[in-house]
Amino acid sequence: MSDVSWMALAVALTVCGGLWTWYAARNRGAASATRGAALTLLPGAAYLTGTLEMFGEISSSVADWATGFVFSPLVWLGIAMAGVAVVLFGVSGRLSGSGEEAPKPKPSRKERKALPPSSQKGAPAIDDDLADIEAILKKRGIN
């Protein structure tokens, strides 16, 4: 697009903004008209600073990328490969357990009876500090 085209776009957007500002001033009040005036100035400012053309080029580049993205089998192959990689990372994290051993299953009732008394729940604590903590827990009704 040439410079004249960008200027025409800026003028058209400014005229539309001016019409909206006039409508807002007549029907919605001063606050809405002031917002409309602020928005009306933006296309001209974007043209004068070159950002209107920049946004146009960005939009064109994104559109080109999107059409190439949608219609390219190689791109879809790349997306599939990335998906498989993400799944494999998840599986490896679950397999390794984040570097920790897998949690041991709780013993069954028969296995609990076979355990030595010190490892059973409610067994007397070996250490005096643990005995104090156990007494406090029992006092509060926590087993």
Side-chain angles (χ1 to χ4, degrees), residues 18-92:
L19 292 173
W20 172 254
T21 302
W22 176 79
Y23 171 79
R26 303 268 303 167
N27 297 317
R28 296 189 175 210
S32 185
T34 305
R35 270 192 299 276
L39 289 172
T40 300
L41 293 175
L42 289 178
Y47 169 73
L48 293 173
T49 58
T51 54
L52 187 62
E53 186 176 356
M54 177 191 68
F55 286 128
E57 289 174 7
I58 290 172
S59 299
S60 176
S61 295
V62 169
D64 290 344
W65 173 80
T67 55
F69 181 78
V70 170
F71 297 115
S72 172
L74 289 177
V75 171
W76 286 106
L77 179 63
I79 290 172
M81 289 173 65
V84 169
V86 168
V87 169
L88 290 176
F89 273 120
V91 168
S92 72

